[in-house]
Amino acid sequence: MRRQLLLFALVLGPFLTLGADAQDEGAESQLARSLERNTMSPFCPGKTLYDCPSPRAAAWRADIRDWVREGASAQQIRARLQSRAPDFDLQGGHPSFGLVWLLLAAVTAGFAFFGWRLAQTRRAVRAWPTEKDADWDRLEARLDAELANVD
């Protein structure tokens, strides 16, 4: 039994540690990718570091990956990047949640108003008399009588 456990540990041990390293590497790459996608590029206006094709942005992405491997936190990395471009807002370009909610409320109110007006128009159209509803003979007789009084 001991031999089997020893053989099992020798054979599968390296694979188990390899899996743990891959998980750590996956978390590191996720943090690096998140930082790249949420940091505006000073080299490509309106683009994040992730989307910017500039060689300087590629160098910044490599630095981010290196810092993540070294164990730096997201705040430390952001501070390091900001110190490289002190006059540029690396977080800019993202709308605040308040603005998003305001726009969503305005669009919802617009759709609600449009639906209400459409319902009002349909009610007004239904209020008109149709040929089935009107007593045309009675109306024609009344019109003839009034025209006779005018002459």
Side-chain angles (χ1 to χ4, degrees):
M1 179 75 170
R2 283 184 166 174
R3 282 189 212 171
Q4 291 173 341
L5 286 176
L6 183 60
L7 182 62
F8 180 76
L10 288 174
V11 170
L12 292 181
F15 293 109
L16 294 175
T17 58
L18 181 65
D21 291 343
Q23 287 177 348
D24 291 342
E25 186 177 313
E28 288 176 356
S29 65
Q30 284 179 352
L31 175 60
R33 197 172 309 119
S34 173
L35 286 166
E36 293 167 5
R37 286 186 173 162
N38 293 310
T39 303
M40 299 305 292
S41 172
F43 315 112
C44 299
K47 291 188 176 187
T48 62
L49 284 175
Y50 184 81
D51 296 322
C52 181
S54 166
R56 292 174 69 189
W60 278 34
R61 289 192 298 268
D63 290 341
I64 289 172
R65 287 189 293 277
D66 290 341
W67 292 333
V68 167
R69 270 189 236 108
E70 291 172 5
S73 71
Q75 292 84 5
Q76 291 170 332
I77 294 171
R78 287 183 196 283
R80 290 176 187 178
L81 293 174
Q82 191 64 61
S83 68
R84 289 181 174 183
D87 296 333
F88 186 80
D89 181 19
L90 297 175
Q91 301 303 316
H94 301 290
S96 67
F97 283 113
L99 179 61
V100 171
W101 281 110
L102 180 66
L103 289 173
L104 183 61
V107 168
T108 303
F111 277 117
F113 178 75
F114 177 73
W116 176 76
R117 284 298 296 153
L118 185 62
Q120 294 296 318
T121 304
R122 286 188 173 179
R123 281 191 201 117
V125 168
R126 285 187 200 138
W128 286 89
T130 62
E131 287 186 35
K132 296 176 187 173
D133 296 336
D135 184 5
W136 293 108
D137 292 334
R138 185 180 57 83
L139 291 174
E140 225 175 304
R142 184 175 168 193
L143 181 61
D144 290 337
E146 291 199 21
L147 286 175
N149 288 337
V150 172
D151 287 336

